[in-house]
Amino acid sequence: MNPDTPPTSDLELERLSGNLDETTRPNSSDGDRTALLPPRHKNIANAAIQKTSSLPLLQCLVHCSSVAFTVAVLTLNWRNIYFADLTKPNINSILSAFQFVAKIHEAIVSASLLAIVFYHLRYELCASSGLPLSYLAAPFQLSTLQPILERSFWSALTVKNEIRRMYWFGISILIATILSALVGPSSAILLLPQLKWWAVKHPFSGTSGFSYLNGSYDNMWPEHVNLSLVPDYCSDKIWDHPPENCPHASVVQISRWSQDYLSQFAPPNITATTEANMLRYVSSSSYNDTAEYAVASTSMNHLARDFGTIWLHGEAQNLTYTKSKRPMLTLSSHDDKNPILRPLVQAQCSNPYDVQDKESVTVSFPSNKLVLTAGEPSLKQSMTQVVKALQFENNGMPKVQFIDLSVEAGRPTLGALVGMTFSNPRNLFHVSPDSSPIRGLIPCTTVSHWVPTTMARDAVTDNIVILDHPDLMDIINSSKLMDKARSIDVDISFAEAVNTIVLDNLTAIEFELENLAFNRSTPIPTYDGEWGSKWRYLVSTLLSLQLSDALARINHNMSMMVYCKDCDPGWNYSKQSFVIDIKDLNNYESLHFVNDSSPDTFAKDTTKHPELYTPVRWRFEHFGYGWAFDRVTKILAAIVVILHLWLVVAYLLVVVFVRRWRCDSWSNLVELIVLAVQSPPTTILRGTSTGINDISTYTDTVLIRESDKLDPSDGEQRAVLVVTDPANRHEYQSRKLLKDKKYL
């Protein structure tokens, strides 16, 4: 050996130091040379099995922290915890931090599952009847689904001996693998706060009470509407600023829509203003090429007023529900049997009849598009009437007259006749292109209902009342909603009050129609006949808008009463009970008591005479982040982590109270490989050094047992890995590892 070359092995180091006796050094052909070499590592004999119910400290920390973490996450969602507003500073950074925490939870739960599976793996190998070969590596691949997707995993269930035990261990591996794959997304779903509307707790700053409409349900939304519901002063010729409780109060807004439609085909949505500065939409269905029908609806005007009043009062008093960045207030019924209602009016018109220079004409009122409730009598198929055409000349001006169709329809029904002069009449009346303007008469049929609704005020939309089902056809097409609807018998006296004269002998609807005239600068306004059947839709829309808004304005003086019990200083009063008339809250910073009724009397009266009051319910919400079990994904995620909780509890009960058995050896794949290398070879695995071709090999049983011979160097026993035929596994029962016994 070259003296300048450094030693390359421990043997050479021994030789150079003079500690190796050359005479005892075997020749290279003497077999195993390592028997005489000193050990390179200081591994000593250890006891593989311990008789104790305790767990390693690290395992205890993993299991306990995973359980505590999971319980905390479930509690957050169970208690519906509101976390933060949408506009909270650094909210994106906070959400990112929750993602990091969810990843930590996933890692802890995965470690807990791995510890549980390893415990049962070692117990089956060392203290029981062994495991199929295919199960040996499965615990090391819990984070993937690959093991349970392979044929070898399921082949173990074909073992006939003790199949029940093999079955349950295979099921436990299957569950642990699936849980390991699902715990990541489950943690994220449960831990990341979701963005939604959340109920405000104690919205009135601790005040408790309930609200009533100061009138019976039938009076609030009557089935018969007539002139008695219209104030006398509404018959005056007021068109620019009519009183809010007059049925034609929106005539200016509807006429403006007529102008906008003529110039830019604006959608049929108008805005009405209430006393409390709340806005409500009066909307109708949109136009299509075959439209001969329109449906319109809006919220009750006095409820919109009360809505705005209580909101402004909350802002003035700085109550809890107004402190959020995006609060929402919703008004709904106290029960499903008596929901809050709103008017819905359907109108259907036909193409105009030619009445130019005719004394009379027979017209047919259409009704095939009108939808009725299941309990209502149906309309007759044919509703015709002979009309004196001359009374609709009106000197060329538009003429609108309501008609009682109860006889023709076989049930209370309101119709309308609309006279208009059409230029370019070729498309409407099939005349020559150069024909002079022709007077036309459009017959229309209307039906009205009270339909269920809820009202809301979202801070984003400012002071606008938001109604459910903005697409009115959703109501018409919903049998569930229409079955709860109440039919309205609109008396012709009420309709005539709606269509009262407002300006220059023009009624409200005539004034609105005039703004749709093609040429209003001439003494006789004409309407463009080139629009053809579109006029059916436009006239239907005007009728439905005007009638629905008029129905929304009845009972304007009906007020909402709030009975407040044991109110706290949040209402600027000491602890006491009182009754509030919301309609009288013109000064939003103060409360107005009902003078003619004590609070206790009012409370008793609502109970004694419930038919005189209509209970309503306020719901206060704010938009932001929080935790709640309100989605299917949340429930599924909870099931995943709860399954892990059950596994941990069952595992701890078995370890502490049943088996009192512990093994800390072979905690990783390397240690099992080392054990296999030191174990005697077996003929049962012949032909598998380059892979396993026979699927039945995976059903062979693997055990960890004592070696059948003592170690020749020091006379101690080793623990060895044994692979045997499932039928011969009982031959190794006597060689089970003993508790507290040390093995090389």
Side-chain angles (χ1 to χ4, degrees), residues 333-443:
S333 64
H334 192 266
D335 56 62
D336 293 335
K337 293 181 180 179
N338 296 311
I340 288 178
L341 303 175
R342 58 163 158 161
L344 182 138
V345 177
Q346 303 173 69
Q348 182 180 356
C349 298
S350 69
N351 281 323
Y353 287 80
D354 183 356
V355 295
Q356 186 71 32
D357 301 326
K358 296 180 180 178
E359 291 186 2
S360 64
V361 63
T362 301
V363 298
S364 178
F365 293 86
S367 62
N368 61 305
K369 298 291 185 179
L370 303 179
V371 178
L372 305 178
T373 63
E376 288 185 87
S378 59
L379 294 166
K380 289 184 178 179
Q381 292 286 336
S382 176
M383 296 186 296
T384 60
Q385 193 174 94
V386 178
V387 179
K388 295 181 179 180
L390 293 178
Q391 64 180 334
F392 288 92
E393 288 296 334
N394 201 29
N395 298 320
M397 300 296 289
K399 174 69 175 180
V400 177
Q401 180 178 324
F402 283 102
I403 304 293
D404 186 356
L405 293 177
S406 299
V407 175
E408 290 80 3
R411 47 153 289 161
T413 305
L414 182 68
L417 290 169
V418 181
M420 304 163 62
T421 301
F422 295 94
S423 60
N424 304 318
R426 179 179 58 175
N427 290 338
L428 281 174
F429 303 105
H430 306 291
V431 295
S432 61
D434 56 350
S435 296
S436 301
I438 295 177
R439 188 69 174 178
L441 185 63
I442 300 177

Side-chain angles (χ1 to χ4, degrees), residues 170-425:
I171 291 298
S172 65
I173 291 292
L174 178 65
I175 293 175
T177 303
I178 294 176
L179 288 181
S180 295
L182 295 180
V183 70
S186 298
S187 297
I189 291 172
L190 292 172
L191 259 172
L192 288 177
Q194 63 190 93
L195 187 63
K196 54 168 272 186
W197 289 103
W198 300 86
V200 177
K201 296 181 179 179
H202 309 296
F204 290 105
S205 301
T207 298
S208 61
F210 43 87
S211 300
Y212 285 87
L213 297 176
N214 193 18
S216 68
Y217 194 78
D218 290 336
N219 288 337
M220 191 69 59
W221 294 285
E223 294 185 4
H224 303 280
V225 178
N226 53 37
L227 187 61
S228 64
L229 296 173
V230 181
D232 294 337
Y233 51 77
C234 291
S235 60
D236 298 337
K237 294 183 179 181
I238 308 172
W239 73 275
D240 52 349
H241 292 93
E244 191 172 336
N245 56 345
C246 289
H248 66 286
S250 291
V251 62
V252 174
Q253 289 85 352
I254 297 177
S255 62
R256 286 174 181 168
W257 169 76
S258 300
Q259 294 176 356
D260 292 339
Y261 188 88
L262 186 66
S263 60
Q264 53 189 349
F265 300 106
N269 295 314
I270 67 171
T271 304
T273 306
T274 66
E275 291 174 354
N277 200 31
M278 283 297 291
L279 305 178
R280 59 180 177 86
Y281 284 135
V282 187
S283 58
S284 182
S285 50
S286 300
Y287 171 75
N288 59 61
D289 292 337
T290 60
E292 55 183 292
Y293 165 86
V295 55
S297 184
T298 184
S299 61
M300 296 298 291
N301 195 71
H302 67 90
L303 291 183
R305 175 203 63 204
D306 295 344
F307 214 98
T309 301
I310 199 168
W311 184 269
L312 294 174
H313 175 73
E315 290 182 333
Q317 294 286 349
N318 196 28
L319 297 182
T320 306
Y321 67 86
T322 61
K323 295 178 182 179
S324 176
K325 294 296 183 182
R326 186 183 176 185
M328 182 167 70
L329 176 62
T330 304
L331 179 64
S332 60
S333 64
H334 192 266
D335 56 62
D336 293 335
K337 293 181 180 179
N338 296 311
I340 288 178
L341 303 175
R342 58 163 158 161
L344 182 138
V345 177
Q346 303 173 69
Q348 182 180 356
C349 298
S350 69
N351 281 323
Y353 287 80
D354 183 356
V355 295
Q356 186 71 32
D357 301 326
K358 296 180 180 178
E359 291 186 2
S360 64
V361 63
T362 301
V363 298
S364 178
F365 293 86
S367 62
N368 61 305
K369 298 291 185 179
L370 303 179
V371 178
L372 305 178
T373 63
E376 288 185 87
S378 59
L379 294 166
K380 289 184 178 179
Q381 292 286 336
S382 176
M383 296 186 296
T384 60
Q385 193 174 94
V386 178
V387 179
K388 295 181 179 180
L390 293 178
Q391 64 180 334
F392 288 92
E393 288 296 334
N394 201 29
N395 298 320
M397 300 296 289
K399 174 69 175 180
V400 177
Q401 180 178 324
F402 283 102
I403 304 293
D404 186 356
L405 293 177
S406 299
V407 175
E408 290 80 3
R411 47 153 289 161
T413 305
L414 182 68
L417 290 169
V418 181
M420 304 163 62
T421 301
F422 295 94
S423 60
N424 304 318

Side-chain angles (χ1 to χ4, degrees), residues 353-544:
Y353 287 80
D354 183 356
V355 295
Q356 186 71 32
D357 301 326
K358 296 180 180 178
E359 291 186 2
S360 64
V361 63
T362 301
V363 298
S364 178
F365 293 86
S367 62
N368 61 305
K369 298 291 185 179
L370 303 179
V371 178
L372 305 178
T373 63
E376 288 185 87
S378 59
L379 294 166
K380 289 184 178 179
Q381 292 286 336
S382 176
M383 296 186 296
T384 60
Q385 193 174 94
V386 178
V387 179
K388 295 181 179 180
L390 293 178
Q391 64 180 334
F392 288 92
E393 288 296 334
N394 201 29
N395 298 320
M397 300 296 289
K399 174 69 175 180
V400 177
Q401 180 178 324
F402 283 102
I403 304 293
D404 186 356
L405 293 177
S406 299
V407 175
E408 290 80 3
R411 47 153 289 161
T413 305
L414 182 68
L417 290 169
V418 181
M420 304 163 62
T421 301
F422 295 94
S423 60
N424 304 318
R426 179 179 58 175
N427 290 338
L428 281 174
F429 303 105
H430 306 291
V431 295
S432 61
D434 56 350
S435 296
S436 301
I438 295 177
R439 188 69 174 178
L441 185 63
I442 300 177
C444 304
T445 309
T446 68
V447 291
S448 304
H449 295 89
W450 299 116
V451 294
T453 190
T454 58
M455 303 168 61
R457 189 243 191 219
D458 185 352
V460 170
T461 57
D462 198 22
N463 57 339
I464 297 175
V465 175
I466 303 171
L467 297 175
D468 56 348
H469 306 295
D471 186 350
L472 300 179
M473 296 309 298
D474 290 342
I475 302 177
I476 295 296
N477 297 326
S478 172
S479 58
K480 181 179 180 181
L481 291 175
M482 290 302 294
D483 287 344
K484 293 182 180 180
R486 304 179 64 178
S487 177
I488 309 175
D489 176 13
V490 180
D491 190 80
I492 193 169
S493 63
F494 180 81
E496 290 174 349
V498 173
N499 195 36
T500 187
I501 296 176
V502 293
L503 182 68
D504 296 335
N505 292 323
L506 287 177
T507 65
I509 301 177
E510 292 169 356
F511 179 73
E512 296 158 3
L513 271 173
E514 188 185 25
N515 287 304
L516 283 170
F518 179 71
N519 185 356
R520 287 180 292 160
S521 61
T522 60
I524 300 178
T526 58
Y527 299 87
D528 191 359
E530 292 292 338
W531 281 8
S533 59
K534 184 183 291 187
W535 287 108
R536 297 183 300 178
Y537 163 75
L538 290 174
V539 175
S540 299
T541 299
L542 287 177
L543 290 173
S544 62

Side-chain angles (χ1 to χ4, degrees), residues 702-722:
V702 183
L703 309 100
I704 296 179
R705 293 294 187 261
E706 291 183 340
S707 59
D708 56 352
K709 297 180 181 179
L710 299 179
D711 190 90
S713 61
D714 49 19
E716 294 189 19
Q717 278 189 314
R718 293 177 179 270
V720 295
L721 195 69
V722 177

Side-chain angles (χ1 to χ4, degrees), residues 90-130:
N90 302 318
I91 186 63
N92 290 331
S93 299
I94 295 174
L95 294 178
S96 299
F98 276 114
Q99 290 180 326
F100 182 74
V101 175
K103 193 65 179 178
I104 294 176
H105 181 236
E106 174 193 355
I108 295 175
V109 172
S110 297
S112 174
L113 287 170
L114 188 62
I116 294 172
V117 171
F118 261 105
Y119 174 86
H120 290 290
L121 173 73
R122 289 180 288 210
Y123 182 83
E124 296 296 332
L125 290 174
C126 301
S128 188
S129 301

